[in-house]
Amino acid sequence: MSLQYSDEDRAFMDEVRTWFLDNTPAHLKGEAFMFGEMSADDNVAWCRELHRQGWAAIHWPKEYGGTDWTQTRKHIFEMVRAETQAPLSYCMGVNLLGPVIYSFGTEEQKSRYLPRILNYDDWWCQGYSEPGAGSDLASLKTKAEKKDDHYLVNGSKIWTSYAHMATKIFCLVRTSSAGKKQEGISFLLFDMDAEGVEVRPIRSIDGKHHLNQVFFTDVKVPLENLVGDEGQGWSIAKYLLTHERTNIARIPMSKVMLAQVKELTTRAAGDGTVGDREQIAERLAEIEIDLNLLEFMNSQMLAQTDAGKAPGAESSMLKIKGTSIQQRLAELRLEIAGYEGYDWQGDITDDETQILTAASQYNFSRASTIYGGSNEVQYGVMAKAVLGL
């Protein structure tokens, strides 16, 4: 079962498709549409182009610079973006921090931060995971001690994406050790060039540098940079992660990737380089069935959201199944590419993209079941919140 689109929705689909085809720079099409493998300058320029069109923050309320689109139209937008291979911009400010600011922030914080987020005047990174406190986020130890007019922050964060490019960070810190672990966590904003902030690179398995470890040594953060109340950080984090996990499912991206793997399979079969064709066809069919079921489940959630029900623990189901499908597609593409797919560092032409990026994308996809809360933890979330176990 798929979404039933109205005539107005179909007209909107045509509008979005035309705009992406007319405005996406040729050098940003292709593999960049999946994992945002753009340069920093290209990423900022593309985000600002979307902002000029009014499409930078489609999930935000219109009063803060977003749209008044239904969830169905937001789904259409992402589906068409993937189909046209327009890039998936990397903007934690828009996707994660913005909703926190307009939901929990003060009026001063809204007026100060939201316009700059929309125009990508600030590059935000996320300070959540720590050594020993990844998916078990309540165990974080980065401490923020209140002084006269500021907090003094000490500790470290790890797996911090693009911290080496970021100008600011939104960070979970421990402001109290009393009571339950979750009750002493707060949400702070501060500059990455503040004295006492150190960024050390982590090169990941895909051969690229997008991860980092960040160290804080007596970093002074103004009291007005606290979002919400002290001790409200856990509630804010859960709110933020619900949205993140829904986005991580990336159904439109997987549909396009499925079509690409099918095309690559056909080409490899014609060249006589593919192995067991029946086994490949069976695996492709299984993935396609699972992807269709995932899209149906997503359609139900979209309908519920349009009816006023906020996404909850069900987003964990989307995250688990969506990331599993991404990994299975990446693994199958690498198998089809064979030995030609292992040299991902070489120069790549358009015709070679599907083969020469197979290993890099496979390696990157291994992280998809970890970031945003590991799938093992999400099974626990569903068992408790959905099944009542």
Side-chain angles (χ1 to χ4, degrees):
M1 178 178 175
S2 60
L3 285 169
Q4 298 299 311
Y5 299 121
S6 66
D7 291 341
E8 291 80 6
D9 285 338
R10 294 186 183 280
F12 172 75
M13 188 183 301
D14 291 338
E15 175 192 354
V16 173
R17 180 176 289 107
T18 298
W19 190 88
F20 276 132
L21 291 174
D22 291 345
N23 292 278
T24 304
H27 72 285
L28 295 185
K29 291 185 177 180
E31 289 304 301
F33 93 97
M34 287 196 293
F35 296 109
E37 294 180 356
M38 297 185 285
S39 70
D41 289 342
D42 280 339
N43 186 54
V44 172
W46 179 242
C47 289
R48 289 177 175 170
E49 185 67 25
L50 289 172
H51 178 42
R52 282 189 285 271
Q53 178 65 13
W55 293 349
I58 64 171
H59 299 285
W60 289 20
K62 195 169 186 178
E63 63 182 298
Y64 298 120
T67 67
D68 57 357
W69 295 349
T70 63
Q71 293 298 320
T72 298
R73 290 210 171 183
K74 294 170 189 175
H75 176 74
I76 289 173
F77 178 86
E78 291 299 340
M79 179 183 68
V80 174
R81 182 199 59 76
E83 288 177 353
T84 57
Q85 297 197 30
L88 179 63
S89 57
Y90 184 87
C91 187
M92 282 194 171
V94 166
N95 296 330
L96 301 180
L97 179 61
V100 167
I101 295 293
Y102 63 66
S103 298
F104 298 92
T106 64
E107 292 303 316
E108 192 278 332
Q109 288 171 339
K110 294 175 188 178
S111 60
R112 177 182 177 186
Y113 292 114
L114 294 181
R116 294 182 61 84
I117 289 174
L118 283 173
N119 198 48
Y120 221 114
D121 294 324
D122 300 313
W123 186 309
W124 289 90
C125 62
Q126 180 186 44
Y128 271 31
S129 295
E130 299 180 4
S135 295
D136 181 18
L137 199 55
S139 297
L140 67 87
K141 292 182 174 59
T142 295
K143 185 178 180 181
E145 185 179 2
K146 183 184 286 187
K147 298 297 183 179
D148 295 331
D149 62 348
H150 64 273
Y151 291 98
L152 202 61
V153 179
N154 287 277
S156 70
K157 299 292 179 178
I158 200 168
W159 316 123
T160 312
S161 298
Y162 299 101
H164 57 299
M165 298 179 181
T167 58
K168 294 182 182 293
I169 185 171
F170 54 96
C171 198
L172 289 179
V173 296
R174 183 162 297 284
T175 49
S176 173
S177 298
K180 294 181 179 179
K181 294 187 296 182
Q182 293 88 342
E183 295 173 353
I185 297 174
S186 299
F187 195 99
L188 286 184
L189 313 174
F190 52 98
D191 296 334
M192 288 295 289
D193 62 357
E195 184 177 355
V197 178
E198 179 189 359
V199 178
R200 297 180 188 174
I202 298 174
R203 189 165 295 278
S204 57
I205 194 173
D206 61 355
K208 298 180 175 63
H209 172 208
H210 42 77
L211 300 173
N212 304 271
Q213 185 166 5
V214 185
F215 296 87
F216 311 118
T217 304
D218 291 336
V219 180
K220 292 183 178 180
V221 180
L223 295 181
E224 60 265 26
N225 287 17
L226 173 71
V227 179
D229 299 324
E230 274 198 9
Q232 197 179 9
W234 182 254
S235 297
I236 294 175
K238 288 195 298 181
Y239 170 85
L240 186 153
L241 287 170
T242 295
H243 289 269
E244 183 180 9
R245 287 162 187 162
T246 303
N247 293 332
I248 289 173
R250 291 180 179 171
I251 297 169
M253 183 195 80
S254 290
K255 293 183 71 173
V256 173
M257 191 174 177
L258 175 66
Q260 291 177 338
V261 174
K262 285 183 177 180
E263 191 276 332
L264 182 61
T265 303
T266 301
R267 190 195 325 165
D271 295 340
T273 57
V274 71
D276 190 330
R277 299 183 188 180
E278 291 186 2
Q279 185 205 53
I280 295 293
E282 181 178 342
R283 289 169 64 187
L284 276 171
E286 290 174 349
I287 293 173
E288 187 164 15
I289 290 170
D290 285 348
L291 184 54
N292 286 337
L293 290 172
L294 180 65
E295 186 175 26
F296 172 58
M297 183 171 67
N298 185 62
S299 300
Q300 291 180 313
M301 290 188 64
L302 290 175
Q304 292 173 353
T305 305
D306 279 342
K309 180 182 179 182
E314 294 86 352
S315 63
S316 294
M317 291 188 280
L318 290 178
K319 196 268 181 183
I320 289 172
K321 201 63 180 179
T323 53
S324 172
I325 289 172
Q326 292 167 34
Q327 288 183 342
R328 289 158 64 191
L329 283 167
E331 181 178 356
L332 189 55
R333 183 167 70 170
L334 183 59
E335 288 185 23
I336 296 169
Y339 73 91
E340 292 182 340
Y342 286 88
D343 182 19
W344 72 85
Q345 302 292 348
D347 294 331
I348 299 174
T349 67
D350 290 341
D351 291 338
E352 295 172 325
T353 295
Q354 289 298 309
I355 292 177
L356 291 184
T357 62
S360 177
Q361 297 293 358
Y362 169 80
N363 288 334
F364 184 89
S365 74
R366 307 319 299 165
S368 64
T369 51
I370 300 174
Y371 55 66
S374 70
N375 283 13
E376 289 78 10
V377 170
Q378 301 316 306
Y379 283 119
V381 171
M382 291 192 300
K384 181 178 179 180
V386 180
L387 301 178
L389 299 179

